[in-house]
Amino acid sequence: ALSIVKQIMTKRHASVLIPYRKKVDSEYEFYLQMRDAHVSESPNVFSFFGGGMEAGESPSECLVREIKEELCINISDFNLFKTYEFNVGDRHVFYLEAGNEFENDVVVMEGQYGEFLTFRQIMTEMPVSDRTKIIIKEFSSRYLGNKI
């Protein structure tokens, strides 16, 4: 019973962002972070920018703070997609339509780098965390339909 209590208390609740945009050829792409090699969760794979909630912080306050820390930008025009309950903790997933200059407007401060990847690259070609694939697949299906 103690191990269950410890597991519940160590769950990390986090807010993450899906910046997405439509390319000129009508294919959608998503800005993801190549995670550092030394992190304990999902090293050397693509995942979302974002991070853990601090005490008293709402999911959206967490997102704004984490994106400011990790990408050096202030965001406001984002929406909640869904909250996922994973064994490692809840993930509050937000989305933001990114402009054509998004990657030039950000300074990546966490992870190895950021990169726009297409749905096909995420699902089949690049090293992407399983949770990220699940979320991108559901987001694309719900909001982008067959336009991916």
Side-chain angles (χ1 to χ4, degrees):
L2 185 58
S3 65
I4 293 172
V5 171
K6 186 177 178 186
Q7 184 180 355
I8 290 170
M9 292 184 71
T10 58
K11 282 191 172 190
R12 187 165 178 259
H13 301 284
S15 292
V16 299
L17 183 66
I18 306 174
Y20 75 98
R21 69 182 178 198
K22 191 174 190 174
K23 291 172 48 178
V24 177
D25 61 5
S26 80
E27 192 173 18
Y28 283 89
E29 56 186 4
F30 308 86
Y31 196 73
L32 299 177
Q33 172 196 98
M34 172 53 78
R35 293 180 53 81
D36 285 321
H38 65 271
V39 295
S40 59
E41 186 182 321
S42 305
N44 289 316
V45 298
F46 283 101
S47 189
F48 298 112
F49 285 95
M53 292 173 61
E54 295 179 353
E57 202 172 40
S58 72
S60 59
E61 289 168 337
C62 172
L63 182 75
V64 169
R65 178 184 52 77
E66 285 287 339
I67 296 305
K68 176 73 173 169
E69 290 172 5
E70 295 183 8
L71 292 174
C72 297
I73 57 167
N74 293 307
I75 59 169
S76 58
D77 195 20
F78 57 86
N79 294 287
L80 178 65
F81 166 52
K82 184 177 179 177
T83 297
Y84 288 84
E85 294 179 18
F86 292 115
N87 59 346
V88 294
D90 292 348
R91 294 293 179 266
H92 304 281
V93 181
F94 294 85
Y95 62 97
L96 170 76
E97 189 164 0
N100 290 333
E101 295 296 316
F102 183 86
E103 64 269 50
N104 300 320
D105 294 338
V106 301
V107 179
V108 176
M109 301 299 290
E110 188 169 302
Q112 297 177 46
Y113 57 90
E115 185 175 338
F116 273 104
L117 300 176
T118 65
F119 183 83
R120 185 186 72 257
Q121 287 175 311
I122 291 168
M123 293 301 155
T124 64
E125 297 174 10
M126 303 295 278
V128 177
S129 77
D130 290 340
R131 283 190 293 273
T132 299
K133 287 181 180 184
I134 289 166
I135 293 168
I136 289 289
K137 190 171 187 178
E138 187 171 349
F139 174 79
S140 297
S141 174
R142 180 163 322 158
Y143 286 104
L144 309 178
N146 60 4
K147 297 173 280 191
I148 53 173

